[in-house]
Each structure stands twice: as structure tokens, then as C-alpha cells.
Amino acid sequence: MRAVRFHQYGGPEVLTIDEVDLPQPGAGQVRISVRAAGINPIDWKLRAGYMHKFIPLSFPAGVGVDAAGVVDAMGEGVTGVSVGDAVFGKGNDTMADYAILRQWAHKPDSLSFEEAAGFPVAVETAARILEQVGVKPGETLLVSGAAGGVGTAVLQLARAAGIHTIGTASQAKHPYLRSLGAIPTTYGPGLRERVTSLAPKGVQGALDIAGSGIIPELVAITGDASRVVSIADFHAEEYGARTSFEPNDATPSLIRAAAMATAGSFSLPVERTFLLDQVGAAHELSAAGHVTGRLIITID
């Protein structure tokens, strides 16, 4: 089968499509025929070597965590799913014709494979950091970098929980943030003053999704470093804020997101799709930032 891999750290040019053996599912795992796979910032950060101190790789290394497809084999002890079922979830090396999923949920009929492939990492991350930041219903949460995949998921999950949100994004994306129930504002100098004007009673927590050196300002805005959580700044703890890089079991949040999607209260828009041999271009676009929603690789 085909699989995207890289044999050394570097730019998008190090990505290759290799012929490899079919992976075999272990206990509690399923193998899927991949129909679509999601691009996440972790993909190109790993490829570029930015994460080597935290996640050392052995070469050749595969690419991808998110995927949606059709179950074609199951490991020992798997229940609640059958060969032929359409699922989406998290695994390893998902940019391939076939992939192993460790955590999954059934794909709703209302979601395309491309849409479903964008859910896993964004949904799990959003659910995790919302819980960790500890903002309660009726309180206000500031989301820095709110228009991407994780931000989009955060805003919708927060709205469902009765949490008010303020999201930062470029001016062109403000209508998008409003459609998700957030009060939009721009990033950059003067953020504290803008947020104070929008939320005169203050904000009770802040999430750093974009990672642009904004942690000191978020701490000043919340007045409590422990109410600031970052998924993008390795130096956040130097300012007393928390970092969140270790994922939870995604299954509960994926099942919930699937139910919300079926009910029409949750979606992650697909900004652009790419073919498997265009994965390098997808990495470049993701690394450039400013993506609204999700970037998806389709497997033909």
C-alpha cells in the first residue's frame, strides 16, 4: 500500500510516498481503508524536527493522526463496530491507503469522510483544554487564534456549555467567529483594552491556540496565570500559565461531536482538500497559518 513518510527532518520536500506492508491491528484496534485524513500542525512540526526533544522519531517516520474510512479488519477484543462500518478517529501514520485507529466513533451519515477526518485531533484538543481552563457556564472565555480547527471546535463546545466567548482573528474572519457564537476582536497591540471594552466584567479564562508570544498579555487580562492554557507555546509555564500537549482518550469527545453534528449544532468546515501526492503543499499551507477550519487529504 501507499504511505506518506519522511526519512529525515526537513521541509515539505522530504515527504515521500512509499510502498509499505499493510499494518495489522492489535488488541483494541481497528484497521480502516482510509478515505480522508486530516492535516494538523503537529504533522509538519514533527516533520520539521521542532518536536524532536519531546517526541523523538525513528526513521522512516509516517505522517498523520486523523482519519476517516471504512473498517476492514479488527483486533482482539474490539466490540461495537463491524467490518464495513464507516468510522473516524485517531491513530498513527494515517496518510496512507490503510491505517490503524486506536480511538474512533461511527461516522454520522450527515458527515462526509472529508468532514469527519477533520474532527479527531481538533475535537479532543478542544474538549481537553476547555475542561482544563475551568471556565463555568455564564462566564467568559478568551480564545486567542479562534478561527482554526481547534478554535472552531472550542467555540462550539463552549457555546453548548453556556460559556461566553471572545475570539481573536483577522478582521476578515470576524463574521465567521460571530457565526460560531463568539464576539470577535483583532489580535495585536491593544488587545487588553479591546477585551476590557467587550467584557467589562472581565474574562475568567484564556486559551492560547495560535502561539504568538501572547501569554504575558493573556495572564494580565485574566489576572490569574493558572486560568491561561496554551497548546502552542512551550514557554507558557515560565509565566505561570499551563501547557496542554498530552492528549486524552478521544473516544468520548468524538462520540459527543458526532451526536452534535447529527443534531446540526457542531461542524468543522473543510477549507481545502488535497490529493495524497499534494501532502507537501498541504503542510506548507498549514504552517503558513491563517487557515479557517480544516485541511484534508483525500485518498483515492
Side-chain angles (χ1 to χ4, degrees), residues 138-152:
E139 294 183 336
T140 299
L141 172 70
L142 174 61
V143 183
S144 177
V150 174
T152 295

Side-chain angles (χ1 to χ4, degrees), residues 112-286:
S112 68
F113 283 106
E114 290 79 12
E115 290 170 319
F119 272 42
V121 165
V123 166
E124 184 280 322
T125 303
R128 166 169 35 96
I129 60 179
L130 263 178
E131 180 181 356
Q132 291 170 341
V133 78
V135 175
K136 299 178 177 62
E139 294 183 336
T140 299
L141 172 70
L142 174 61
V143 183
S144 177
V150 174
T152 295
V154 163
L155 296 182
Q156 292 174 91
L157 293 178
R159 179 173 59 185
I163 295 169
H164 306 299
T165 54
I166 297 173
T168 69
S170 63
Q171 190 75 39
K173 296 180 181 179
H174 285 191
Y176 176 68
L177 296 189
R178 290 191 187 95
S179 75
L180 300 175
I183 300 173
T185 189
T186 54
Y187 42 75
L191 178 63
R192 185 176 184 180
E193 291 74 21
R194 292 192 297 277
V195 171
T196 299
S197 174
L198 294 171
K201 295 183 179 180
V203 299
Q204 287 68 52
L207 298 175
D208 169 35
I209 295 174
S212 55
I214 200 173
I215 297 297
E217 194 161 12
L218 296 183
V219 171
I221 289 170
T222 61
D224 183 352
S226 70
R227 304 303 296 273
V228 177
V229 177
S230 176
I231 62 168
D233 191 334
F234 291 109
H235 302 289
E237 293 180 355
E238 297 175 9
Y239 302 96
R242 290 180 291 167
T243 56
S244 183
F245 299 119
E246 187 66 29
N248 294 331
D249 178 5
T251 304
S253 57
L254 295 182
I255 293 172
R256 181 187 176 205
M260 292 176 66
T262 300
S265 59
F266 189 92
S267 65
L268 287 177
V270 175
E271 176 167 312
R272 185 173 169 186
T273 62
F274 299 81
L275 299 176
L276 191 63
D277 62 4
Q278 297 173 314
V279 63
H283 274 213
E284 285 187 300
L285 184 57
S286 176

Side-chain angles (χ1 to χ4, degrees), residues 29 62-65 90-95 98-102:
Q29 300 176 338
V63 178
V65 178
K90 292 181 65 178
N92 294 321
D93 308 340
T94 58
M95 300 288 175
Y98 293 86
I100 302 298
L101 297 186
R102 303 182 309 274

